[in-house]
Amino acid sequence: MAEISESAVRSVLEAVIDPVSAKSVVASGMVSGIATRAGHVAVTLEVDPARGPSLEPLRLACEQAVRAIPGVLSATAVMTAERSAPPPPPMPSARPARGGHAHGPAQAAPGGGRIEVSGVKHIIAIASGKGGVGKSTTAVNLALGLAANGVATGLLDADIYGPSMPRMLAVKEKPESVDGKQLKPIERYGLRTMSIGYIVNEETPMIWRGPMVSSALEQMLRDVQWGELDVLVVDMPPGTGDAQLTLAQRVALSGAVIISTPQDIALVDARKGLNMFRKVAVPVLGIVENMSYFLCPKCGERSEIFGHGGAHEEADKLGVPFLGEIPLHLDIRTTSDSGHPIVVAQPDSSHARAYRNIAGRVWKQLTANQRGPRPAPRIVTR
Ligand code: ADP
């Protein structure tokens, strides 16, 4: 299916008239950003905050107009009171974006100016509301599960506060530069991978401020020869702070997967993650419950230490897909720690199967978005 073009969106918005100015939202300069990804469209409207809630019908009219474009799966119009968020200052070592990128950092604008990687069909974020829930372990095994299902997959460790790929994939070598400009990703178990931990020493404490996080990630997206990939899995830094929000906003994500444990407290954090992606109109592909129940490695007995199933219930409540559950099992930890994640170390195990199934569900969702024209739009009269 052809991607929805920005000009198609703009042209339907030309018919949406702001009753106050009697001009279209385009002509009055309200449309400050348009982003389209796999049939999902986000429009940013810059508005006078004094008009407040009276603008809601106009916002809805914009969404309806966009939704009526054949092939559009979802439309979100967001009102902002600022024309554009200032682009983050580059890191001291940051090189300017290469020529030919119409979406370089200099053009950053809400809803527009997103970082895309040519040749990569889908970029997905693996996120968690807090650290220690198994986000990185899930990201690696999910990426390997995608690869096992025949999907060309890359893995970017964007968790620059605590990069874990060097350990989980037993990478000791440094990435090579091909032309003095771009780095070659390091291939492991059929994945093309990159991590800040490959470049800087894992033991070196790194102190990053928000803008630097996004700039470092930008370089790892742009300045790595990812080549042709169906999916690039991005292991996000844990949490839902400004740095994470900026990443979610700046990278052209096809969707996000939220990792949570079943405890109430983790679910509260997961909800924050979900809201963060919703705020920036990134589709949430679903929630994974990690450490769902304890499986005794000796006797195989199952204990529901944290009250299993919380994430499933939460997903249902929030109206997002539940992608699957992974038990707390010693083999999952030891295989990760030894650099041979379970999906490759024990491909016939039930755990490996669980990760492959989750990967299958993620892939299905990514491709479902592209399958055929959506049903005829409803005609709304009011
Ligand atoms: P995060 O990225 O959320 O901080 P990690 O993926 O680094 O979390 O996981 C934290 C620790 O928990 C690691 O030692 C990892 O091996 C372990 N771990 C993660 N998921 C599981 C699991 N399902 N079973 C057993 N250990 C796990």
Side-chain angles (χ1 to χ4, degrees), residues 35 37 40-42 74 76 78 114 123-127 236 244-258 273-286 320 366 369:
R37 289 184 308 289
H40 299 278
V41 180
S74 76
T76 318
V78 189
R114 294 200 182 215
I123 308 178
I124 61 169
I126 311 299
M236 296 271 284
Q244 291 78 358
L245 181 66
T246 310
L247 297 191
Q249 224 166 5
R250 300 267 291 131
V251 180
L253 295 170
S254 296
V257 173
I258 312 254
L274 198 93
N275 287 337
M276 176 178 81
F277 288 109
R278 286 195 165 157
K279 210 169 11 179
V280 292
V282 170
V284 174
L285 303 171
V320 296
L366 288 172
N369 286 347

Side-chain angles (χ1 to χ4, degrees), residues 131-137 290-291 326-329 332-333 336-337:
V133 299
K135 172 183 55 59
S136 299
T137 307
N290 188 38
M291 311 193 193
I326 303 289
L328 175 65
H329 194 277
I332 297 179
R333 193 185 66 70
S336 287
D337 285 352

Side-chain angles (χ1 to χ4, degrees), residues 15 24 156 327:
S24 85
L156 170 59

Side-chain angles (χ1 to χ4, degrees), residues 128 130-139 159 162 164 167-168 235-236 238 259 289-293 326-337 355:
S128 65
K130 61 169 192 165
V133 299
K135 172 183 55 59
S136 299
T137 307
T138 313
D159 188 349
S164 34
R167 174 177 48 88
M168 285 201 281
D235 182 15
M236 296 271 284
I259 315 300
E289 184 170 281
N290 188 38
M291 311 193 193
S292 188
Y293 49 90
I326 303 289
L328 175 65
H329 194 277
L330 188 63
D331 288 351
I332 297 179
R333 193 185 66 70
T334 51
T335 48
S336 287
D337 285 352
Y355 282 118

Side-chain angles (χ1 to χ4, degrees), residues 106-186:
Q107 285 88 23
R114 294 200 182 215
I115 306 166
E116 290 178 40
V117 186
S118 63
V120 175
K121 291 199 192 106
H122 298 285
I123 308 178
I124 61 169
I126 311 299
S128 65
K130 61 169 192 165
V133 299
K135 172 183 55 59
S136 299
T137 307
T138 313
V140 170
N141 282 298
L142 173 63
L144 290 167
L146 283 165
N149 289 336
V151 175
T153 308
L155 177 63
L156 170 59
D157 183 2
D159 188 349
I160 61 172
Y161 300 106
S164 34
M165 297 313 153
R167 174 177 48 88
M168 285 201 281
L169 298 171
V171 171
K172 299 254 174 352
E173 65 266 39
K174 299 262 175 258
E176 289 168 33
S177 171
V178 241
D179 49 6
K181 289 193 194 117
Q182 281 201 305
L183 291 178
K184 268 209 280 197
I186 291 186

Side-chain angles (χ1 to χ4, degrees), residues 79-364:
M79 293 190 285
T80 75
E82 272 175 2
R83 176 154 293 275
S84 71
M91 278 205 299
S93 64
R95 272 173 265 138
R98 284 180 305 285
H101 277 293
H103 39 250
Q107 285 88 23
R114 294 200 182 215
I115 306 166
E116 290 178 40
V117 186
S118 63
V120 175
K121 291 199 192 106
H122 298 285
I123 308 178
I124 61 169
I126 311 299
S128 65
K130 61 169 192 165
V133 299
K135 172 183 55 59
S136 299
T137 307
T138 313
V140 170
N141 282 298
L142 173 63
L144 290 167
L146 283 165
N149 289 336
V151 175
T153 308
L155 177 63
L156 170 59
D157 183 2
D159 188 349
I160 61 172
Y161 300 106
S164 34
M165 297 313 153
R167 174 177 48 88
M168 285 201 281
L169 298 171
V171 171
K172 299 254 174 352
E173 65 266 39
K174 299 262 175 258
E176 289 168 33
S177 171
V178 241
D179 49 6
K181 289 193 194 117
Q182 281 201 305
L183 291 178
K184 268 209 280 197
I186 291 186
E187 297 248 0
R188 266 302 182 280
Y189 312 125
L191 299 178
R192 276 173 234 159
T193 75
M194 183 53 66
S195 166
I196 198 92
Y198 298 170
I199 302 164
V200 296
N201 193 327
E202 229 186 322
E203 278 79 52
T204 311
M206 277 175 284
I207 299 159
W208 301 88
R209 282 177 293 110
M212 290 162 76
V213 175
S214 119
S215 175
L217 177 78
E218 197 166 322
Q219 287 183 45
M220 288 198 287
L221 283 167
R222 285 196 207 278
D223 296 347
V224 171
Q225 283 191 338
W226 291 108
E228 300 284 317
L229 286 178
D230 294 316
V231 182
L232 178 61
V233 175
V234 179
D235 182 15
M236 296 271 284
T240 50
D242 285 350
Q244 291 78 358
L245 181 66
T246 310
L247 297 191
Q249 224 166 5
R250 300 267 291 131
V251 180
L253 295 170
S254 296
V257 173
I258 312 254
I259 315 300
S260 180
T261 60
Q263 293 103 310
D264 284 349
I265 190 76
L267 288 166
V268 170
D269 287 309
R271 210 170 306 143
K272 280 192 211 146
L274 198 93
N275 287 337
M276 176 178 81
F277 288 109
R278 286 195 165 157
K279 210 169 11 179
V280 292
V282 170
V284 174
L285 303 171
I287 298 183
V288 173
E289 184 170 281
N290 188 38
M291 311 193 193
S292 188
Y293 49 90
F294 175 70
L295 259 192
C296 173
K298 291 215 174 78
C299 66
E301 197 200 348
R302 173 178 168 139
S303 330
E304 301 188 344
I305 307 180
F306 307 122
H308 149 256
H312 197 163
E313 278 167 30
E314 193 66 24
D316 290 347
K317 224 188 288 168
L318 296 166
V320 296
F322 180 68
L323 296 170
E325 56 189 33
I326 303 289
L328 175 65
H329 194 277
L330 188 63
D331 288 351
I332 297 179
R333 193 185 66 70
T334 51
T335 48
S336 287
D337 285 352
S338 67
H340 293 85
I342 195 134
V343 169
V344 283
Q346 299 173 18
D348 298 327
S349 64
S350 60
H351 311 313
R353 214 168 25 246
Y355 282 118
R356 283 195 301 269
N357 287 341
I358 291 172
R361 285 182 203 116
V362 167
W363 177 244
K364 202 162 152 200

